[in-house]
C-alpha cells in the first residue's frame, strides 16, 4: 500500500514560509519526492505535524485550512496509486495531479455532468471488485435505481439522479424510501417488474420485506462511502451527507456466546453416526479457537499457517486497514488442522460447504449436544428484546463472539484481545462481542474491600 511522509523544505519564501515536501512510496521500485505547493511557517510544523496555537483563533483557522488542504491532496495521491495502472505512475503524473489539486481553476472549462450509475459502477469496479461486500453494493445500486423511478412516479416529471444534485434532503428521502419499500411495492408494483439495468443482474426484483433498523443504517453507510469516494476522486466538491440529518447508528443487544465448557462439550461429542455433521462441528470449533469471520475462514489454506500460527488479512477491513492478523494455534486447533491435512481436494484448510448450510449444520449440532439454554436477543426488525434458545439462533458468527468473549473474561484487556480478533483499538464493534458479565463485576467490586 502506498504511503506518504512529510518534511519541510529548508528554503523560505518572501512570506517567511517553507514548502511542505511529500515523500511518496508507491512500491519498492517507485519512491518519489514531490513538492506539495503548500506552504507553512517552519515554527508551526514539526515531525510532519502541524503545531496548533491554543489561543490565537485566527492562526488556528489558517493552519486548519492548510492542514485540510494537505490532507485532501494526500488522499488524492493515495487514491491515484490504488486506481491508476502502474505503468502510468510517474513523477510527471503525480506533479500534474498536485497542480490540478492546488489550481483546479486552470483545468476547469465547462463542467461535465457525470452519469450517476456509470460512476457507481466505476466505484464498484475500482474498490469492491471481488470483495465480500460487492453484492451488498449491487443491492444498493438497484435500490437507487428504484428510488429514481419512484421519484418519477410521484412527481410525474422527468427525474434523473445526478451526483452534483444529490443533496442532504435527498439522502433523507432515500433513507425513508428504503424503510418504506414494502408499502411502496404495494402502491407501485410496476417498479419491481423489470430487470435492473444499472448493475449486472438477470433476476427481477423480489417483493421487498421490511428492513430492520441495522439493515437500513448499513445501506446508508455504503451510500456514504460511495459519496466520500466521489469527493476524493474530485467528481463532486462535497458529500451530501454533510447536510443531511443523522443517518443514525446500529443498535445491538447484549452479546451472547457459549462458554468454554459448552464449547468443549460440542468438541467432544460423538458424531460418528453422521460424518457430515462431524466435519462442520470441527470447522466450528476451529473458528471458536481463532475468532475469525466466516468469510476469512472459508478462504484459508495450509499456506495461512506460519510458524504454528494462523495468519490472514481480514476481508472486511483490507481496503481501509490492511493489517495481518496472527493467531497462535493451541493444541486442539493444531489437532483439527492435522485431522484434515491432505484430505481436502480444493486445497483449502477444511472441506467447507456454503455459508448457509454451515449455519444450518451449527444449529443441528447445538441441538444434538443439548446446548439449548435461553438467551436474550434483539429482534433486528422490531428492535424488541426476545428470549430464544441458543440452538435456534446459533451461527458461524457465534464462534467469533465465543473467541472474543471468553478471551476477554480471561485477560480483560480489549487491546490484547482486539489484536487477535482483528478489531482496531477503541473499535465500537469490539464492545459488542465482549460481555461485562457477573464474575467481572464481582471482581471489580471486590477491589473496594
Amino acid at each position: 500500500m502506498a504511503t506518504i511522509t512529510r518534511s519541510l523544505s529548508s528554503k523560505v519564501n518572501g512570506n517567511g514560509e517553507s514548502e511542505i515536501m511529500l515523500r511518496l512510496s508507491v512500491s519498492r521500485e517507485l519512491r518519489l519526492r514531490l513538492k506539495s505547493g503548500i506552504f507553512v511557517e517552519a515554527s508551526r510544523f514539526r515531525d510532519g505535524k502541524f503545531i496548533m496555537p491554543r489561543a490565537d483563533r485566527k492562526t488556528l483557522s489558517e493552519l486548519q485550512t492548510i492542514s485540510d488542504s494537505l490532507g485532501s491532496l494526500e488522499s488524492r495521491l493515495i487514491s491515484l496509486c490504488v486506481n491508476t495502472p502502474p505503468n502510468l505512475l510517474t513523477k510527471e503524473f503525480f506533479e500534474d495531479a498536485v497542480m490540478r489539486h492546488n489550481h483546479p481553476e486552470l483545468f476547469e472549462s465547462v463542467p461535465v455532468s457525470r452519469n450517476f450509475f456509470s460512476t457507481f459502477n466505476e466505484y464498484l469496479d475500482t474498490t469492491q471488485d471481488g470483495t465480500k461486500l460487492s453484492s451488498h453494493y449491487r443491492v444498493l445500486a438497484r435500490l437507487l435505481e428504484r428510488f429514481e423511478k419512484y421519484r418519477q412516479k410521484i412527481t410525474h416529471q422527468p427525474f434523473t439522479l445526478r451526483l452534483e444534485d444529490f443533496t442532504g434532503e435527498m439522502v433523507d428521502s432515500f433513507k425513508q424510501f428504503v424503510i418504506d419499500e414494502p408499502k411502496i411495492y404495494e402502491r407501485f408494483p410496476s417498479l419491481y417488474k423489470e430487470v435492473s439495468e444499472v448493475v449486472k443482474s438477470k433476476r427481477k426484483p423480489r417483493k421487498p420485506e421490511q428492513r430492520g433498523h441495522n439493515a437500513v443504517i448499513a445501506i446508508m453507510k455504503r451510500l456514504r462511502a460511495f459519496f466520500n469516494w466521489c469527493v476524493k476522486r474530485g467528481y463532486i466538491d462535497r458529500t451530501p451527507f454533510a447536510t443531511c440529518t443523522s443517518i443514525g447508528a446500529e443498535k445491538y443487544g447484549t452479546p451472547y456466546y457459549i462458554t468454554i465448557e459448552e464449547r468443549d462439550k460440542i468438541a467432544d461429542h460423538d458424531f460418528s453416526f453422521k460424518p457430515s455433521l462431524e466435519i462442520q462441528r470441527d470447522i466450528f470449533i476451529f473458528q471458536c479457537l481463532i475468532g475469525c469471520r466466516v468469510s476469512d475462514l472459508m478462504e484459508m489454506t495450509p499456506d495461512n499457517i506460519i510458524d504454528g500460527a494462523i495468519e490472514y488479512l481480514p476481508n472486511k477491513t483490507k481496503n481501509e486497514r490492511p493489517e495481518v492478523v496472527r493467531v497462535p494455534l493451541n493444541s486442539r486447533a493444531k489437532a483439527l488442522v492435522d485431522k484434515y491435512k491432505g484430505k481436502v481436494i480444493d486445497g483449502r484448510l477444511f472441506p467447507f460447504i456454503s455459508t448457509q448450510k454451515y449455519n444450518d449444520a451449527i444449529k443441528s449440532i447445538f441441538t444434538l449436544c443439548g446446548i439449548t439454554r435461553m438467551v436474550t436477543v434483539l429482534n433486528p426488525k422490531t428492535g424488541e428484546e426476545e428470549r430464544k434458545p441458543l440452538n435456534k439462533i446459533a451461527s458461524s458468527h457465534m464462534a467469533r463472539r465465543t473467541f472474543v468473549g471468553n478471551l476477554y473474561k480471561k485477560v480483560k484487556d480489549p487491546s490484547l484481545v482486539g489484536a487477535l480478533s482483528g478489531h482496531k483499538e477503541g473499535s465500537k464493534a469490539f464492545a459488542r462481542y465482549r460481555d461485562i458479565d457477573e464474575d467481572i463485576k464481582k471482581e471489580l467490586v471486590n477491589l473496594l474491600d
Side-chain angles (χ1 to χ4, degrees):
M1 180 180 178
T3 59
I4 294 177
T5 54
R6 305 167 177 176
S7 61
L8 206 60
S9 171
S10 58
K11 297 180 181 179
V12 179
N13 64 14
N15 295 324
E17 298 171 328
S18 298
E19 187 171 12
I20 297 173
M21 309 297 292
L22 301 178
R23 180 73 173 178
L24 176 62
S25 297
V26 182
S27 63
R28 290 183 179 178
E29 296 75 28
L30 185 59
R31 291 183 172 87
L32 305 171
R33 192 165 188 260
L34 301 171
K35 295 180 178 180
S36 71
I38 298 173
F39 293 78
V40 67
E41 290 184 17
S43 61
R44 291 295 179 186
F45 193 83
R46 185 182 304 145
D47 298 329
K49 296 181 180 179
F50 291 91
I51 303 172
M52 300 294 189
R54 295 184 178 180
D56 187 346
R57 296 184 65 84
K58 180 182 177 182
T59 303
L60 177 62
S61 176
E62 292 173 351
L63 286 173
Q64 189 61 56
T65 300
I66 296 172
S67 177
D68 292 344
S69 178
L70 183 62
S72 175
L73 172 60
E74 290 174 335
S75 295
R76 178 65 176 152
L77 295 176
I78 293 295
S79 177
L80 289 172
C81 292
V82 174
N83 299 312
T84 306
N87 62 305
L88 299 180
L89 298 179
T90 63
K91 185 169 186 178
E92 291 75 18
F93 173 83
F94 286 110
E95 287 175 340
D96 180 69
V98 172
M99 179 64 72
R100 287 176 180 273
H101 176 273
N102 292 338
H103 303 285
E105 71 280 358
L106 300 178
F107 301 89
E108 290 179 355
S109 51
V110 179
V112 178
S113 177
R114 297 181 58 86
N115 180 277
F116 184 90
F117 290 107
S118 294
T119 306
F120 195 95
N121 281 321
E122 181 188 346
Y123 172 72
L124 283 177
D125 292 340
T126 56
T127 67
Q128 302 300 323
D129 186 34
T131 70
K132 297 296 180 182
L133 288 175
S134 60
S135 61
H136 295 292
Y137 277 93
R138 286 194 290 272
V139 169
L140 171 58
R142 291 191 285 268
L143 266 170
L144 288 162
E145 182 186 34
R146 293 198 294 272
F147 174 66
E148 182 181 70
K149 293 178 179 178
Y150 169 67
R151 291 287 292 254
Q152 293 169 0
K153 287 279 188 182
I154 62 174
T155 60
H156 304 287
Q157 293 178 358
F159 174 80
T160 303
L161 286 177
R162 291 161 52 94
L163 286 175
E164 57 272 25
D165 294 340
F166 215 109
T167 62
E169 183 181 355
M170 199 177 294
V171 170
D172 294 333
S173 296
F174 175 68
K175 180 182 178 182
Q176 196 60 48
F177 171 82
V178 173
I179 295 171
D180 293 340
E181 240 204 326
K183 298 176 184 177
I184 293 170
Y185 173 85
E186 299 297 335
R187 187 180 172 191
F188 300 109
S190 60
L191 295 178
Y192 300 82
K193 290 183 178 179
E194 298 178 1
V195 175
S196 172
E197 299 177 355
V198 299
V199 288
K200 298 173 184 177
S201 175
K202 294 182 179 180
R203 73 176 188 200
K204 290 183 179 180
R206 294 173 291 185
K207 179 180 179 179
E209 296 181 357
Q210 187 64 51
R211 294 181 176 88
H213 173 83
N214 289 358
V216 174
I217 299 303
I219 288 170
M220 299 308 295
K221 284 186 173 181
R222 292 180 192 116
L223 181 61
R224 184 174 63 188
F226 164 65
F227 277 110
N228 286 342
W229 174 84
C230 288
V231 172
K232 289 182 179 179
R233 299 281 286 191
Y235 297 157
I236 52 177
D237 295 328
R238 61 182 302 186
T239 168
F241 282 80
T243 56
C244 73
T245 58
S246 173
I247 64 173
E250 293 96 335
K251 297 178 182 177
Y252 295 92
T254 303
Y256 56 87
Y257 51 89
I258 57 175
T259 65
I260 292 177
E261 291 73 24
E262 288 171 326
R263 182 203 68 191
D264 291 345
K265 182 178 180 181
I266 294 172
D268 297 333
H269 191 86
D270 183 8
F271 279 103
S272 58
F273 66 95
K274 196 161 187 181
S276 60
L277 272 188
E278 180 179 353
I279 293 172
Q280 302 313 309
R281 183 273 311 274
D282 290 343
I283 296 173
F284 177 77
I285 295 300
F286 184 79
Q287 192 181 359
C288 286
L289 296 172
I290 66 171
C292 66
R293 298 176 181 89
V294 66
S295 59
D296 299 315
L297 179 70
M298 298 185 81
E299 293 183 357
M300 289 180 181
T301 70
D303 291 339
N304 288 97
I305 300 177
I306 302 172
D307 296 331
I310 198 93
E311 291 189 4
Y312 67 98
L313 191 64
N315 279 302
K316 186 176 179 181
T317 57
K318 66 182 180 182
N319 286 334
E320 57 188 54
R321 186 167 45 89
E323 296 178 5
V324 173
V325 175
R326 177 178 170 85
V327 185
L329 300 178
N330 64 15
S331 56
R332 189 188 286 274
K334 290 177 181 177
L336 288 172
V337 171
D338 291 339
K339 181 176 179 178
Y340 293 93
K341 187 177 292 183
K343 298 180 181 179
V344 187
I345 24 180
D346 62 5
R348 291 187 288 178
L349 209 53
F350 295 99
F352 296 109
I353 53 180
S354 71
T355 303
Q356 184 56 56
K357 289 182 179 178
Y358 177 43
N359 285 329
D360 292 340
I362 291 170
K363 289 177 176 62
S364 299
I365 290 165
F366 272 56
T367 301
L368 290 170
C369 292
I371 310 296
T372 59
R373 63 181 168 89
M374 302 295 288
V375 294
T376 302
V377 299
L378 203 65
N379 186 304
K381 292 186 177 179
T382 66
E384 300 295 325
E385 288 189 344
E386 298 176 347
R387 297 276 292 168
K388 290 192 176 182
L390 273 175
N391 60 313
K392 297 296 183 183
I393 56 174
S395 67
S396 63
H397 208 67
M398 188 180 287
R400 181 164 166 80
R401 287 198 299 270
T402 296
F403 175 84
V404 173
N406 284 302
L407 264 184
Y408 184 78
K409 288 174 71 172
K410 295 287 187 183
V411 300
K412 304 175 185 63
D413 185 340
S415 299
L416 186 57
V417 179
L420 293 170
S421 63
H423 290 101
K424 66 180 180 181
E425 188 172 351
S427 167
K428 293 181 181 179
F430 180 80
R432 302 201 300 265
Y433 298 101
R434 57 177 177 83
D435 182 15
I436 310 295
D437 67 5
E438 199 64 25
D439 292 337
I440 296 177
K441 291 177 182 177
K442 288 178 180 177
E443 290 180 24
L444 291 174
V445 172
N446 288 338
L447 294 175
L448 300 175
D449 287 344

